[in-house]
Amino acid sequence: MSVLIVGSTALDSIKTPKAENPKLLGGSASHAAVAASFFSSVKLVGVVGKDFPRKYVTLYKRHKIDLEGLQIEEGQTFHWSGEYEVNMNNRRTLLTELGVFEKFTPHLPENYKTAPFVLLANIAPSLQHHVLDQMQKPKFIVADTMDLWLNIAKADLITLLKRVHGFVLNDSEAHQLTECDNVFAALKKIHKLGPKYVIIKKGSHGSILSSPEGYFICPAYPLHNVCDPTGAGDSFVGGMMGYLATARGSIDANIRRAMIYGSVTASFCCEGFGLKKTTTIKRADIERRAKDLEKLTRF
Amino acid sequence: MSVLIVGSTALDSIKTPKAENPKLLGGSASHAAVAASFFSSVKLVGVVGKDFPRKYVTLYKRHKIDLEGLQIEEGQTFHWSGEYEVNMNNRRTLLTELGVFEKFTPHLPENYKTAPFVLLANIAPSLQHHVLDQMQKPKFIVADTMDLWLNIAKADLITLLKRVHGFVLNDSEAHQLTECDNVFAALKKIHKLGPKYVIIKKGSHGSILSSPEGYFICPAYPLHNVCDPTGAGDSFVGGMMGYLATARGSIDANIRRAMIYGSVTASFCCEGFGLKKTTTIKRADIERRAKDLEKLTRF
């Protein structure tokens, strides 16, 4: 089965203490779509400007990503520029040029509307709503978000949470949303807002799922060298949704393994700037690290 | 087999936003010894003053802790007072009265010297050395430490690391010792200083073992309510050593499960002030949570 993914499609200029990388392919939908493509077919919804490099269209196509829902508009592609500190944990935004993204309204092609799996990657909650308005009863909907929407569009996000099966956010966002310092107390509060499955991402500390079957403590893959963590969270949820879309059986039966695949796909993302490393790997590389994670957690 | 445990034996006055608890039984050796006592016999080495409450001697005895190595000196017991902030992560020392601890020199009773397992719980590295000087070829020696010793006794600590099999420290201490932000890079550097087994504690994010058999990612037990994390790290390493001392087979075969038991024992420690909760549990409670952790990490 296929996954519909909506989110930002952007050009990222990323500075770290070691290097500068102008206008890499970025955005939540790009990272999530490439990650999901290792497991299932992907239908992308996004917007780019006329300046969007042809090589990035080729990259999407190499990953067999359906681009019928990618709008190409007069103007500039969303451009984000950021800088990481030495420890790779603190990120500072240098520049945000919204370009065509400012007036983005996602229009779904007819054959997108029946996609059984929907990933509402990080984008304004109003646009996430707008995508759901056009869908015909998807089987499993997951939403991601970011601190910005908690600051400026919390009401929209709260109503969205009643419409999704799964919700993914990081630990500081969970704290911001619930005012709980304790992650398990936060999970409890978030369930009350709607989602049956809640996943809290903790970066290099892994992630935690709370579901009808209880908690799952999902490890991060051990990395000796993190090159650029941009898009790791999107890769995580993209890989997870891609795996879920093709796995047989119930969500409950598959979601733990899906998170492991997401975690592994995210680990590759961290090892190169933008999508540089992720686009060099094969499914077999993902399988290898998933097996490693099994060994690293068994006792 | 038995575990010899040396460290601080103190009275802790702990303030949290919710409560104030004067002169609880505390200190690294107290927490580690009680934790280890659920698994093996324990020989305690420490010092207290004439003011040391009789009820705490009774508490040690109820846990069948051998007190032949507990020196009772003229003067006051080491008294530490600290305050936790709302989120339970930031701790502020309000008062440190060393008392008899200032001139502590650990003297081992004859029958302590052949103990096969030695836990050098958090205490000055020079005293940890002094204990090892008196031992007759222990089978497995583990040292713990704290940031203070990295600041004021780093040279002593570095020479100690050549004499121990295992070393346990938290993530910020690992960063301070190695200047590596990446925990796996830090582990590599610490092995070069001597220890074959290195464990980095990450509080509620669990811990990571690096050993000849590779890494082990050890989860923390999910707690909805952390009452007082004082002594959790000591409980972790105490529980681990207690289990190792009685498990059949090699260290490599047992250390992962030993960490799980340590992690679970630490979880109980966090649920009460000082040793209040830990002293109410039974081995069966620990077994139950260890089984839970198996379920929480399986995929």
Side-chain angles (χ1 to χ4, degrees):
Chain A
M1 288 196 262
S2 65
V3 185
L4 180 150
I5 298 178
V6 62
S8 60
T9 42
L11 300 175
D12 283 354
S13 295
I14 297 165
K15 220 171 142 177
T16 68
K18 285 184 191 157
E20 223 168 311
N21 288 268
K23 302 207 170 175
L24 300 163
L25 178 58
S28 61
S30 302
H31 280 283
V34 169
S37 76
F38 292 106
F39 307 95
S40 71
S41 62
V42 175
K43 296 178 190 307
L44 183 71
V45 183
V47 66
V48 294
K50 294 275 192 203
D51 63 331
F52 192 66
R54 175 159 285 277
K55 63 180 177 183
Y56 294 152
V57 174
T58 310
L59 185 158
Y60 284 142
K61 285 186 175 162
R62 213 165 49 233
H63 283 267
K64 299 194 170 54
I65 294 166
D66 186 340
L67 299 179
E68 206 187 324
L70 182 68
Q71 301 164 32
I72 302 171
E73 306 287 353
E74 232 19 277
Q76 300 286 305
T77 303
F78 177 22
H79 179 212
W80 175 81
S81 169
E83 186 172 11
Y84 283 93
E85 284 175 19
V86 179
N87 70 9
M88 290 292 156
N89 288 324
N90 299 322
R91 184 167 78 179
R92 196 161 65 93
T93 291
L94 300 173
L95 179 93
T96 307
E97 295 169 317
L98 289 175
V100 295
F101 197 65
E102 198 170 357
K103 298 193 171 160
F104 177 41
T105 307
H107 298 301
L108 303 196
E110 266 323 300
N111 78 328
Y112 273 45
K113 297 179 180 174
T114 54
F117 287 79
V118 177
L119 171 54
L120 307 169
N122 174 30
I123 198 172
S126 60
L127 300 183
Q128 294 175 316
H129 271 290
H130 190 64
V131 167
L132 290 189
D133 292 342
Q134 298 168 69
M135 295 297 302
Q136 286 161 22
K137 292 203 179 177
K139 188 184 161 192
F140 194 63
I141 306 165
V142 168
D144 196 349
T145 197
M146 74 182 287
D147 52 355
L148 175 67
W149 313 123
L150 287 163
N151 289 330
I152 68 168
K154 192 169 171 180
D156 285 350
L157 182 65
I158 297 290
T159 54
L160 182 79
L161 293 184
K162 297 194 194 313
R163 303 180 71 184
V164 302
H165 305 98
F167 183 43
V168 175
L169 71 175
N170 70 34
D171 42 2
S172 66
E173 290 154 7
H175 170 62
Q176 195 182 339
L177 178 60
T178 64
E179 291 175 0
C180 291
D181 285 299
N182 181 293
V183 72
F184 299 99
L187 282 164
K188 214 171 164 182
K189 274 201 176 177
I190 298 169
H191 278 303
K192 287 192 179 149
L193 297 172
K196 200 169 157 188
Y197 302 86
V198 183
I199 293 171
I200 294 183
K201 297 174 288 181
K202 306 192 297 173
S204 62
H205 300 304
S207 56
I208 293 172
L209 163 73
S210 176
S211 79
E213 306 259 298
Y215 297 128
F216 172 54
I217 301 172
C218 177
Y221 189 85
L223 291 178
H224 288 248
N225 193 18
V226 172
C227 172
D228 167 23
T230 312
D234 309 308
S235 299
F236 168 76
V237 69
M240 180 186 92
M241 286 296 275
Y243 179 79
L244 281 176
T246 51
R248 282 183 206 179
S250 68
I251 296 294
D252 282 324
N254 293 311
I255 194 163
R256 290 175 167 222
R257 186 159 287 273
M259 284 174 68
I260 292 291
Y261 281 110
S263 183
V264 163
T265 313
S267 75
F268 287 112
C269 173
C270 292
E271 290 184 303
F273 283 100
L275 279 154
K276 278 186 180 177
K277 172 81 181 223
T278 316
T279 49
T280 66
I281 62 164
K282 298 223 170 338
R283 172 76 184 254
D285 299 306
I286 295 175
E287 294 294 345
R288 210 169 296 124
R289 286 198 176 177
K291 274 217 179 84
D292 284 349
L293 272 187
E294 227 165 329
K295 282 184 211 146
L296 289 168
T297 53
R298 204 178 289 151
F299 60 88
Chain B
M1 287 195 263
S2 66
V3 185
L4 180 150
I5 297 179
V6 62
S8 59
T9 42
L11 299 175
D12 284 354
S13 295
I14 298 165
K15 220 173 142 178
T16 68
K18 286 185 192 156
E20 223 166 312
N21 289 268
K23 302 209 171 173
L24 300 164
L25 177 59
S28 62
S30 302
H31 280 282
V34 170
S37 76
F38 292 105
F39 307 95
S40 69
S41 62
V42 175
K43 297 177 189 307
L44 183 70
V45 183
V47 66
V48 294
K50 295 273 191 204
D51 63 332
F52 192 66
R54 175 159 285 278
K55 63 179 177 182
Y56 293 153
V57 174
T58 310
L59 186 157
Y60 284 142
K61 284 187 176 162
R62 212 164 50 232
H63 283 268
K64 300 193 169 55
I65 295 166
D66 185 341
L67 299 179
E68 206 187 325
L70 182 67
Q71 301 164 32
I72 301 171
E73 307 286 353
E74 227 25 271
Q76 300 286 307
T77 303
F78 177 22
H79 179 213
W80 174 81
S81 168
E83 186 173 12
Y84 283 93
E85 286 176 18
V86 180
N87 69 10
M88 291 291 156
N89 289 322
N90 299 320
R91 185 168 78 178
R92 196 161 65 92
T93 291
L94 300 172
L95 179 93
T96 306
E97 296 169 317
L98 289 176
V100 295
F101 197 64
E102 198 169 357
K103 297 195 172 159
F104 177 41
T105 307
H107 300 298
L108 303 197
E110 265 324 299
N111 78 329
Y112 273 45
K113 296 180 179 174
T114 53
F117 287 78
V118 177
L119 172 53
L120 307 169
N122 175 30
I123 198 172
S126 59
L127 300 184
Q128 293 175 317
H129 272 291
H130 190 64
V131 167
L132 289 189
D133 292 343
Q134 298 169 70
M135 295 297 302
Q136 285 160 24
K137 291 203 180 179
K139 188 184 161 193
F140 195 62
I141 306 163
V142 168
D144 196 348
T145 195
M146 74 182 288
D147 52 356
L148 175 67
W149 313 122
L150 287 163
N151 290 329
I152 67 168
K154 192 169 170 179
D156 285 349
L157 181 66
I158 297 290
T159 55
L160 181 80
L161 293 183
K162 297 193 195 314
R163 303 181 71 185
V164 302
H165 305 98
F167 183 43
V168 175
L169 72 176
N170 71 32
D171 43 2
S172 65
E173 290 154 6
H175 170 61
Q176 194 182 341
L177 178 59
T178 64
E179 290 175 1
C180 290
D181 284 299
N182 181 293
V183 71
F184 300 98
L187 282 164
K188 214 172 162 180
K189 274 200 176 178
I190 298 169
H191 278 303
K192 286 191 179 150
L193 298 172
K196 200 169 158 189
Y197 301 86
V198 183
I199 293 171
I200 295 184
K201 296 173 289 180
K202 305 191 297 173
S204 63
H205 301 303
S207 57
I208 294 171
L209 162 74
S210 176
S211 79
E213 306 259 299
Y215 297 128
F216 171 53
I217 301 172
C218 177
Y221 189 83
L223 290 179
H224 288 249
N225 194 18
V226 173
C227 171
D228 169 23
T230 312
D234 308 308
S235 298
F236 168 76
V237 70
M240 180 186 91
M241 286 297 274
Y243 179 80
L244 280 176
T246 50
R248 282 183 205 179
S250 68
I251 297 294
D252 282 324
N254 293 313
I255 194 163
R256 289 175 167 222
R257 186 159 285 274
M259 285 173 68
I260 292 292
Y261 281 110
S263 183
V264 163
T265 313
S267 75
F268 288 111
C269 173
C270 292
E271 290 183 305
F273 282 100
L275 278 155
K276 279 187 180 176
K277 172 83 182 217
T278 316
T279 48
T280 65
I281 62 164
K282 297 223 168 343
R283 173 74 183 255
D285 299 306
I286 295 175
E287 293 295 344
R288 211 170 296 123
R289 286 199 176 178
K291 274 217 178 85
D292 285 348
L293 272 187
E294 226 166 329
K295 282 184 210 146
L296 290 169
T297 53
R298 203 180 289 152
F299 59 88

